[in-house]
Amino acid sequence: MMTNHNILKGDTNMDDIKLLTKGREHDVYSIHYSSNGFYDGGALAPAICCISLVNFSTHELHSFALHNYIFTEKCIVDAQKRLLCEFSEFIKNLNNPIYIHWNMYSLEYGFKSLITSCENFGIYDLSFNEADSYNLADKIEGSLFGAFEDYGYLSPAFLSGKEELACFDKRSYNLVKCSTDAKAIGIMALFKKLMKNEITPEILY
């Protein structure tokens, strides 16, 4: 039985996103990332530890993580630069992607922070079309963790933001990668439930 405190918000009409994604399922990606802090809007952005994306149609996971590069680069700064370079190249090669995310419109955490992170390393050609993105937090009440728990996607790999930061400080980058990957997978799973009208407005006790 679900102890569901994550309910659909007032407007439960999914026609807008269904119309946006119809025939473009291969271009739909969930996206989530982890960093060592929140962005304050300044010239420097927090260090990125992992960026994960999952494709709607293929379920393929694309993970750009410090853990992938830390053993082949000279230092953590070089590893971060390679992470962001490869992520930027991946994004540029997508065909007008639609991003499914959780609250990545905010200044402190989101697309703007990723762009600034790239600019900090001399990567100036990364951009996101936020008009073709979809914020699940606009549809589902409560927290991301609560939604995962209520609908059966609370992976043992999940870490809280504080736990991810602690792992980052301890250089346990693989644990952060696993957590970020699992959240991107869970976000896509929640989105598919929404598309199938399987998330209902009732609170079940």
Side-chain angles (χ1 to χ4, degrees), residues 50-188:
C50 182
I51 311 170
S52 303
L53 304 95
V54 176
N55 184 269
F56 181 94
S57 292
T58 66
H59 307 111
E60 185 175 1
L61 171 67
H62 304 271
S63 188
F64 305 87
L66 281 181
H67 177 77
N68 298 344
Y69 312 114
I70 198 68
F71 301 110
T72 58
E73 301 300 319
K74 294 179 180 178
C75 62
I76 188 172
V77 173
D78 288 347
Q80 287 181 42
K81 182 175 183 179
R82 185 174 171 195
L83 181 166
L84 292 167
C85 283
E86 294 196 2
F87 169 70
S88 178
E89 284 300 314
F90 175 81
I91 295 297
K92 286 189 294 183
N93 287 325
L94 297 180
N95 179 30
N96 297 318
I98 300 168
Y99 299 107
I100 311 301
H101 61 92
W102 189 275
N103 273 339
M104 283 184 60
Y105 290 143
S106 67
L107 175 64
E108 294 85 1
Y109 175 89
F111 297 112
K112 292 181 178 65
S113 182
L114 290 177
I115 290 171
T116 304
S117 294
C118 285
E119 290 175 349
N120 291 162
F121 286 94
I123 305 165
Y124 296 104
D125 53 357
L126 177 67
S127 63
F128 299 96
N129 183 4
E130 294 187 23
D132 277 359
S133 65
Y134 196 77
N135 184 9
L136 286 185
D138 287 341
K139 288 290 184 183
I140 304 175
E141 291 280 6
S143 68
L144 180 59
F145 265 74
F148 285 154
E149 184 175 30
D150 289 340
Y151 297 105
Y153 301 117
L154 193 57
S155 166
F158 287 165
L159 300 174
S160 68
K162 289 183 178 179
E163 289 170 331
E164 288 181 351
L165 179 57
C167 288
F168 185 95
D169 291 340
K170 294 176 183 177
R171 294 179 176 253
S172 300
Y173 304 128
N174 189 46
L175 293 179
V176 182
K177 175 187 181 299
C178 291
S179 176
T180 310
D181 288 348
K183 290 174 185 177
I185 292 168
I187 287 170
M188 181 57 77

